[in-house]
Amino acid sequence: MITIALKLTLTPILIGVASLAGRRWGPAISGWLVGLPLTSGPVIFLLALAHGASFAAAAATGTLAGTLSECVFCLAYGWIAWRGGGWWAVVGGCLAFLSGAFALSAVKLSLAPLCGAIVLALLASLWLMPGRRAAGAAEMTKATESAAASALPWWDLPARMLVATAFVVLLTDAAPTLGPQMTGLLAPFPVYATILAVFAQRQQGPAAAVGVLRGLLLGLFSFAAFFVALALLLERAGIVAAFLAAVMCALAAQGCSLWVMRRRASATSSPRAAPTD
């Protein structure tokens, strides 16, 4: 009964708070907030309660590997949207994520090399995303700022909360059949990021959608920090201590990525100093 209550309350609360923050500060911040484990974190917590720390630790390692699939999602969605792909960007991004997840399901995951691969993948993805040059970045900043003021339909927030909650319920219920690694690989499926990118693209164009995805990639450093802590500590320290440590690691990494975002925004929006005689 407690597990069911958590499924039906924890995820919608987290998604609701992140959505309201995104409406206040724009799509790039929304994407950055998605980097926090708003759906996959509750998935692993519920798995730990239902199946024990060992199962949850293996699923946490799989979820960490899912960061690689999210990188592929961002690149596929970003470039298809940038070239005017419309809904094909959604299809291409989702297929890219699922292809990555199923490819990784055949690999024996080891934590140390996985961490190195994730850092390299995130840095490479940020470099390869469209609109990387200063002119494109400045354009994207303007688009994301104006998108913050755009009106959304009344059903937007309830729909996000409902979809995210349904995803958590379905995945945790299917976990015994899928096994810990596959459950973990599917846990970071970018449901929320897809919704944000679609709305940003429809309202402000592909630059705003790319802004969401860039924010997501920066936020994924905190996502990775969260699941590294869980994978290391769940069996050694127990559920409560492991999650407390993971939250602290995620918040520290999120603070660092916010600093990077602000520096990038100030660098692209500030005019260059005029030369002096």
Side-chain angles (χ1 to χ4, degrees):
M1 185 63 69
I2 294 176
T3 302
I4 295 173
L6 285 171
K7 288 180 184 182
L8 298 178
T9 57
L10 183 60
T11 300
I13 288 171
L14 292 173
I15 293 297
V17 170
S19 296
L20 293 174
R23 289 184 183 185
R24 171 64 179 83
W25 289 294
I29 293 296
S30 293
W32 172 74
L33 285 169
V34 170
L36 291 169
L38 300 175
T39 54
S40 50
V43 166
I44 302 302
F45 181 68
L46 294 167
L47 291 177
L49 293 180
H51 304 288
S54 180
F55 188 99
T61 303
T63 306
L64 179 63
T67 309
L68 299 172
S69 300
E70 291 208 65
C71 290
V72 177
F73 166 85
C74 289
L75 288 171
Y77 192 119
W79 277 107
I80 296 172
W82 193 259
R83 295 177 181 277
W87 283 105
W88 286 110
V90 179
V91 175
C94 291
L95 287 177
F97 177 91
L98 292 174
S99 298
F102 282 105
L104 288 166
S105 68
V107 177
K108 183 175 175 59
L109 301 176
S110 180
L111 195 57
L114 182 58
C115 291
I118 287 169
V119 171
L120 290 175
L122 288 172
L123 293 174
S125 298
L126 284 166
W127 179 265
L128 293 171
M129 285 291 287
R132 182 176 57 83
R133 292 197 177 105
E139 219 172 87
M140 182 172 61
T141 301
K142 292 178 184 177
T144 56
E145 285 174 352
S146 59
S150 298
L152 293 171
W154 66 267
W155 47 263
D156 170 64
L157 184 57
R160 295 182 191 191
M161 296 166 71
L162 179 63
V163 169
T165 303
F167 177 76
V168 170
V169 171
L170 289 172
L171 190 58
T172 51
D173 287 349
T177 303
L178 294 173
Q181 180 167 322
M182 195 62 201
T183 301
L185 287 167
L186 293 176
F189 185 83
V191 176
Y192 189 41
T194 302
I195 295 170
L196 290 173
V198 167
F199 272 107
Q201 185 177 353
R202 290 188 63 185
Q203 292 167 357
Q204 297 296 323
V210 171
V212 170
L213 299 173
R214 281 188 174 276
L216 171 60
L217 287 168
L218 281 171
L220 284 175
F221 285 99
S222 66
F223 180 95
F226 181 88
F227 285 103
V228 167
L230 284 186
L232 288 172
L233 297 175
L234 267 172
E235 293 184 90
R236 300 174 186 177
I239 296 172
V240 174
F243 271 90
L244 286 175
V247 168
M248 292 176 65
C249 291
L251 291 176
Q254 195 79 337
C256 292
S257 64
L258 179 60
W259 179 80
V260 171
M261 284 185 70
R262 286 179 171 174
R263 279 185 63 88
R264 286 176 60 87
S266 62
T268 55
S269 61
S270 299
R272 292 183 179 179
T276 56
D277 293 333

